[in-house]
Amino acid sequence: LDKRITPHRQRQLIEMLRMIDGRQAGATYQEIAEAVFGAAPVNAITWKSAPLRDTVMRRVATGFDLVSGGYRRLLFGHRPDWS
């Protein structure tokens, strides 16, 4: 990885790849949150308003963007603002 990428961002990239693998294997966002972050299972109503849900969905979307060519921004030195 680019040495300008902070350790925090490196962890996020790794998490994104794990999340993409999970989605491609058919996992739900909640199952991904449980696997990647160790989140406790919650009911569907609680999950709909959980901040972690938004984080997982955003990282999955960003991960798919990177896989579909967005990784080039990393190669050319751009520092995207990931959440």
Side-chain angles (χ1 to χ4, degrees):
L1 288 173
D2 187 329
K3 292 185 189 273
R4 293 172 293 172
I5 297 174
T6 66
H8 176 72
R9 291 292 192 224
Q10 288 177 10
R11 281 190 304 278
Q12 285 183 333
L13 287 168
I14 292 167
E15 289 169 355
M16 286 178 205
L17 292 175
R18 290 182 64 203
M19 292 177 188
I20 290 168
D21 286 344
R23 282 303 281 178
Q24 290 179 331
T28 66
Y29 291 118
Q30 186 172 359
E31 291 168 337
I32 291 168
E34 292 169 13
V36 174
F37 296 113
V42 295
N43 66 46
I45 294 170
T46 303
W47 176 247
K48 289 274 188 189
S49 63
L52 185 56
R53 177 181 177 262
D54 296 331
T55 299
V56 170
M57 292 174 73
R58 191 171 44 251
R59 289 198 187 159
V60 167
T62 303
F64 276 119
D65 176 59
L66 288 170
V67 168
S68 68
Y71 68 90
R72 290 182 183 106
R73 289 189 301 272
L74 293 175
L75 298 176
F76 295 113
H78 299 280
R79 304 273 312 260
D81 181 34
W82 296 313
S83 302

